[in-house]
Each structure stands twice: as C-alpha cells, then as structure tokens.
Amino acid sequence: MSKTNDSNEKIFNDKLKIIAEKTNLSINTIFKIQCAIEQKGGNTFTSKELSDIFGVTPRSINKIIEKLQIYNYAEIVGKRVTSTAGRPSRIIKILI
C-alpha cells in the first residue's frame, strides 16, 4: 500500500471513530452503514432496508437512526409508500 493510501485510510478510520464516539454507537455499526452506502451507491434508505442489511428489527434500526439524527449524521428527506396499506416508510439520508 502506498503512503497516500495509508494516510487516506487513517483519515477514514478516524472519521468513523469520531462519529462512533459522538453518537455512542459502535465503530462496527458505523462501518456497516458506510459499507451499505458504498454497496448501494447512494445514501438514502428506509428503516426496512437498513434493518434487512443489519439483520435486526426496524425498531433497533430506528434507535440507531435517532442517535445519528441527534448529531446531524442522518435526516428524514421524504416518505415512500411501499404497499397499499399501512404507513408510508420514511426515507433517511445518511450523512457520513
């Protein structure tokens, strides 16, 4: 690995560590979110999409989203109707 890549990786890791410390979430949680953003090629998700990626309940994801929102690392940007019944799903933009 080159010196530039090592430097960029350290900056990236430091950024994730700072976010984890501020939000009181684990570095693994923040890293999973970052990986989901890269995999999807975008930073907007529904709670259901994130819960499927994490393999946890939507309630657990909503707690994570709430912590990210408090520190402005996530915001609700809209709603999406996913079925003919029930509430529309919130569209969350992750700002990591």
Side-chain angles (χ1 to χ4, degrees), residues 65-76:
I65 291 166
E66 185 178 318
K67 288 181 180 184
L68 291 170
Q69 280 183 286
I70 289 169
Y71 294 96
N72 298 314
Y73 292 113
E75 65 183 4
I76 309 303

Side-chain angles (χ1 to χ4, degrees), residues 4 20 22 25 30 34 38 40 42 45 53 55-59 65 67 73 76-77 79 82 88-90:
T4 303
K22 277 185 179 180
L25 294 168
I30 301 301
Q34 182 62 39
E38 290 173 8
K40 184 178 180 183
F45 300 88
I53 290 167
V56 298
T57 64
R59 180 173 168 83
I65 291 166
K67 288 181 180 184
Y73 292 113
I76 309 303
V77 293
K79 296 189 182 233
T82 55
S89 298
R90 300 177 302 166

Side-chain angles (χ1 to χ4, degrees), residues 8-47:
N8 288 341
E9 187 175 316
K10 181 173 177 3
I11 291 168
F12 177 75
N13 289 338
D14 288 347
K15 177 183 172 186
L16 295 184
K17 186 177 177 184
I18 289 166
I19 294 168
E21 289 172 356
K22 277 185 179 180
T23 59
N24 201 26
L25 294 168
S26 75
I27 188 86
N28 288 336
T29 297
I30 301 301
F31 184 71
K32 265 187 172 180
I33 292 169
Q34 182 62 39
C35 288
I37 290 169
E38 290 173 8
Q39 198 171 36
K40 184 178 180 183
N43 63 343
T44 58
F45 300 88
T46 64
S47 295

